[in-house]
Every structure is written in structure tokens, then in C-alpha cells.
Amino acid sequence: LRAVVYKQWEGLANHVSEPSFCKMTDRRGCTPLHLTVSHNGPLSLIKTLLKTWPGAAAAKDADGATALHHAAAKRASAEAVAALLEANPEAVKLQSTLKLTVPDAEVAAGGGLTHAIATSAEATRGFTPLHWALLMRSTEIVELLLEAEGGHGKESAAVACAAGRLPLHTAAANEASLATIKAIIEAHPPSLKHTDKHGATPLHHAAAHCASVESMAELSTQHPAAVQAKAKNGWTPLHY
């Protein structure tokens, strides 16, 4: 497995066609597929691993994360995500306790997130691949996840993380485009009224994180009552 970690892709050619190799795990429970996706490995290698052991797409590491979780959290290519979705579309709505490593957190922080939020294990507990893609602001990946076959993509928009936040909350707090906001609302309209464990609606999150005027207008137009809604701290979106 070290060959994967050090991106020595050529050295894996004689192993990826062996089911026993594909089923190996490291101390964190990661399979070669988890690691290849996390380290931005070649698409051809990802497809070979999936062909050799189809169950790889459903395999979970010690955090309960599938390769799709890693792909979304590590900003894998759209092609890699598409291959994983084709192999196991249901993974899009599964939760895990996957956490960002320090380098990943710095990448997220560089995109506008606060370091505290980016590195908080509690903040990402129960995240689905869709939550991760929204946190990492990977618009193309978000689109692919929402379009997952069998209706699993739309169902993922209704899954809340441990903090009670739906993907719409995460989108509102992370500068998601207006098109993304609309797509998530279309997938799960009740998201507009949903409150997290702090009593905050998506509009609260949008206002607190300085979302675009267009996005806040969409959220408030679709659910006008949210403008006056109070979170558990007594604040409405206007307070932000």
C-alpha cells in the first residue's frame, strides 16, 4: 500500500488485478481504492481496482467512509467520482466520521473557511459525500452527486449530519452558486425550513457566512418566514 501513498503508480501494475491486493487495508481501514482516490491516482487504476473487486466501492474504512467520501473530501476528479458513483450510487447518501487532515484543512481554509471549522471533527461528523463536496466547493462534483442514479442523489439532499445540518445548510455557508442552491432545494424542498441543532435555518448560515445577495434572496423568497426565524441564541438572519 505504500506504493499508493507515494504515488508509485507504475509499481502497482502487477498487483491491481489481484483481488487479495484490492481487499488489503491499512491501519485506518483504507483499501487501495480509498488510497488511490485520496492521492489523486490515475482513472485507469481506479477503474481496474473496481473491476477486480466490485465490492471496493462499498468498502468502508475505520471512519465508515467509502471511497466516494474520500473522493469528495479530497477534491478528486469528476471522472473518478463518476466511476465510483456508477459502481455504488447508494454511497452518496451514506454518513461517516471522516475528518480532514491538517493539509486538507489548510486547503479548505485557503478557500475562505476558518481554520477552526475546517479542522473540527465535530463539524464534519456524519457528513455524506455531498456535504464534503459542498464544503470543498467542488461545484462539478456536487452536480454529479445530486444526479446519482436510482434517486440516491436527491435522497442525499435530505440527510443531516450530526450537527443537524442538511446539505443546503452547508451550501449556504460555503459560497455555493445560486444554481447549486436551487438544485438542492429542488432535490429536497423541506431543506428550507429545516433547523440544525442550534435552531439555525439555511438562511441563518447564508447570512452568517456572507453568502451572495442572489443566494440569500433565493432562500428568503422560497421560505419568507426564515427571515424572522430565531435560532436558539435568539438571532434572526438579520442579526448577522
Side-chain angles (χ1 to χ4, degrees), residues 106-202:
E106 290 174 350
V107 169
L113 293 173
T114 64
H115 187 72
I117 291 177
T119 58
S120 171
E122 186 59 36
T124 59
R125 187 179 299 278
F127 264 25
T128 64
L130 181 56
H131 281 101
W132 276 114
L134 289 165
L135 178 66
M136 302 308 287
R137 301 171 184 179
S138 305
T139 303
E140 187 175 6
I141 303 305
V142 170
E143 293 176 356
L144 285 172
L145 296 176
L146 284 173
E147 294 171 359
E149 294 182 359
H152 298 300
K154 289 188 176 182
E155 290 175 12
S156 71
V159 181
C161 68
R165 300 188 184 100
L166 292 174
L168 186 58
H169 290 83
T170 305
N174 288 284
E175 300 181 0
S177 67
L178 178 58
T180 296
I181 294 289
K182 288 184 175 181
I184 296 175
I185 293 174
E186 181 180 355
H188 186 59
S191 296
L192 290 159
K193 301 179 180 180
H194 186 87
T195 57
D196 63 19
K197 71 176 185 179
H198 298 295
T201 65

Side-chain angles (χ1 to χ4, degrees), residues 18 54 109 143 233:
E18 301 173 5
E143 293 176 356
N233 63 1

Side-chain angles (χ1 to χ4, degrees), residues 34-179:
H34 283 97
L35 296 172
T36 300
V37 167
S38 295
H39 291 85
N40 197 27
L43 179 61
S44 59
L45 180 57
I46 292 173
K47 288 186 174 181
T48 300
L49 287 167
L50 288 169
K51 181 179 180 180
T52 302
W53 181 39
K60 298 178 181 180
D61 64 15
D63 292 317
T66 65
L68 186 61
H69 286 86
H70 284 261
K74 300 297 182 69
R75 291 175 170 162
S77 69
E79 293 77 14
V81 170
L84 293 170
L85 279 173
E86 182 178 359
N88 184 26
E90 291 187 26
V92 71
K93 60 186 180 183
L94 300 180
Q95 297 173 294
S96 79
T97 56
L98 180 66
K99 300 171 284 294
L100 286 175
T101 61
V102 174
D104 296 324
E106 290 174 350
V107 169
L113 293 173
T114 64
H115 187 72
I117 291 177
T119 58
S120 171
E122 186 59 36
T124 59
R125 187 179 299 278
F127 264 25
T128 64
L130 181 56
H131 281 101
W132 276 114
L134 289 165
L135 178 66
M136 302 308 287
R137 301 171 184 179
S138 305
T139 303
E140 187 175 6
I141 303 305
V142 170
E143 293 176 356
L144 285 172
L145 296 176
L146 284 173
E147 294 171 359
E149 294 182 359
H152 298 300
K154 289 188 176 182
E155 290 175 12
S156 71
V159 181
C161 68
R165 300 188 184 100
L166 292 174
L168 186 58
H169 290 83
T170 305
N174 288 284
E175 300 181 0
S177 67
L178 178 58

